[in-house]
């Protein structure tokens, strides 16, 4: 194989490797950013407060419209 052909082939291979690396970086960056942003848990809770971890939430665990006594089952059904 001619040295010029070998050098041209090496240049094409290097160009492909650089292009592949750049494309992979451009595609992976937003995916990794989204994963890092949302891996800690949901953005909003069921009570509408944004981004408060469940362990740090305060207040009633049930809505005011549903008292605790109304949600319990008394006796056997039927």
């Amino acid at each position: 194989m001619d040295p010029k052909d070998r050098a041209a082939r090496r240049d094409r291979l290097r160009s492909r490797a650089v292009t592949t690396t750049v494309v992979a970086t451009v595609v992976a960056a937003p995916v990794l950013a989204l994963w890092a942003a949302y891996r800690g848990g949901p953005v909003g809770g069921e009570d509408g407060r944004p981004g408060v971890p469940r362990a740090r939430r305060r207040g009633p665990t049930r809505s005011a419209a549903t008292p605790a006594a109304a949600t319990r089952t008394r006796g056997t059904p039927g």
Side-chain angles (χ1 to χ4, degrees), residues 11-37:
D11 286 342
R12 282 193 310 262
L13 184 62
R14 185 177 297 130
S15 175
R16 283 187 201 139
V18 169
T19 302
T20 303
T21 303
V22 169
V23 168
T25 303
V26 167
V27 170
V31 172
L32 289 174
L34 287 172
W35 174 76

Side-chain angles (χ1 to χ4, degrees), residues 34-45 51-54 57:
L34 287 172
W35 174 76
Y38 292 110
R39 71 181 175 162
V43 175
V52 180
R54 191 175 289 266
R57 291 185 188 159

Side-chain angles (χ1 to χ4, degrees), residues 38-64:
Y38 292 110
R39 71 181 175 162
V43 175
E46 64 273 356
D47 57 359
R49 289 184 274 182
V52 180
R54 191 175 289 266
R56 292 182 45 205
R57 291 185 188 159
R58 293 184 183 150
T61 56
R62 299 182 183 182
S63 70

